[in-house]
Amino acid sequence: GKQWYQRRVRGFRDYGLEHWGSDTAGVEKCRHFLLEWLSFLYRYIPVGLLEVLPQRINERPPSYFGRDELETLMCSPRSDDWIRITEMVLGKVPDEFNFVPKHVANSYS
């Protein structure tokens, strides 16, 4: 549960900073790719929440609260919540920061 999500996010951060560097440009590059990953990942929900197995394609998952703040933020469709996750592991975003996800789930619109 909670530890799995924390390990994944921190692992992504660690590998990103190792690859792009820990200077300002490297941190922001890591933040960008972490946000893109979160914009894709939020659509995957724990199997225990599914009403029908197997899940049907294009079936919208039910709204739910996670077991902790991080899990709830990771399942959120709002990019502001994903930005909060990056702030937990990479520090505050710059004032002029703007993120528009590339991955948009058309079936959820």
Side-chain angles (χ1 to χ4, degrees):
K2 175 182 179 180
Q3 293 174 348
W4 185 90
Y5 290 107
Q6 287 178 346
R7 282 196 314 265
R8 294 302 163 281
V9 172
R10 288 187 179 134
F12 193 104
R13 175 206 55 201
D14 294 346
Y15 290 127
L17 293 177
E18 182 180 323
H19 182 74
W20 290 298
S22 58
D23 61 341
T24 303
V27 169
E28 293 312 309
K29 185 74 123 175
C30 183
R31 183 184 316 277
H32 172 78
F33 281 100
L34 177 56
L35 284 166
E36 289 294 346
W37 180 60
L38 291 170
S39 76
F40 180 78
L41 188 66
Y42 91 90
R43 292 175 277 181
Y44 293 91
I45 60 169
V47 173
L49 294 174
L50 298 175
E51 294 178 6
V52 178
L53 288 175
Q55 182 180 10
R56 294 185 192 103
I57 194 164
N58 295 338
E59 182 178 41
R60 178 174 278 202
S63 296
Y64 69 96
F65 287 100
R67 293 167 279 194
D68 64 356
E69 181 186 14
L70 179 60
E71 193 172 86
T72 302
L73 291 173
M74 287 186 80
C75 72
S76 171
R78 298 181 56 234
S79 61
D80 292 343
D81 290 336
W82 308 330
I83 290 171
R84 282 183 54 206
I85 293 171
T86 68
E87 288 181 328
M88 289 176 183
V89 295
L90 292 170
K92 184 151 174 46
V93 297
D95 292 333
E96 69 281 351
F97 184 79
N98 185 25
F99 173 70
V100 178
K102 286 192 286 187
H103 301 288
V104 177
N106 294 332
S107 62
Y108 288 6
S109 301

